[in-house]
Amino acid sequence: VLWFEVFTAEIAWQEMRKNWVGDPSKRTSELPMEPVISFNATYEEMLLNNHTPFHKPIPLAEMVDFLVDYWHGDCLFD
């Protein structure tokens, strides 16, 4: 009975993952996007954005790069 529950959970997880990441067969080869965050943006500008949404979503990798650069500059990250 336990194997059936694990198997059912695996199927459910695969379906949720497919909904989240999309169908790889329907992806097009995209050119690299222009960054959403300006190359000269500051951390303070990002925080003081007055809760105005950005003109388009910021990809996670871009936000991580921005934060790591900021943290390196302030010696907060080794």
Side-chain angles (χ1 to χ4, degrees):
V1 174
L2 182 58
W3 66 270
F4 180 74
E5 292 173 7
V6 171
F7 182 69
T8 304
E10 170 71 14
I11 292 172
W13 183 85
Q14 291 292 347
E15 287 297 317
M16 285 189 293
R17 183 179 185 283
K18 189 187 319 179
N19 289 336
W20 181 53
V21 299
D23 184 356
S25 67
K26 294 183 180 179
R27 290 187 192 147
T28 60
S29 58
E30 298 176 8
L31 296 174
M33 295 184 341
E34 286 292 319
V36 177
I37 302 173
S38 169
F39 74 93
N40 60 352
T42 66
Y43 188 75
E44 289 75 18
E45 289 172 341
M46 299 286 279
L47 288 178
L48 300 175
N49 195 18
N50 296 325
H51 304 288
T52 305
F54 290 94
H55 61 281
K56 57 186 185 177
I58 300 173
L60 178 60
E62 184 177 339
M63 181 54 78
V64 169
D65 287 343
F66 173 81
L67 291 173
V68 168
D69 288 346
Y70 174 77
W71 294 333
H72 274 286
D74 278 3
C75 300
L76 300 172
F77 186 78
D78 290 327

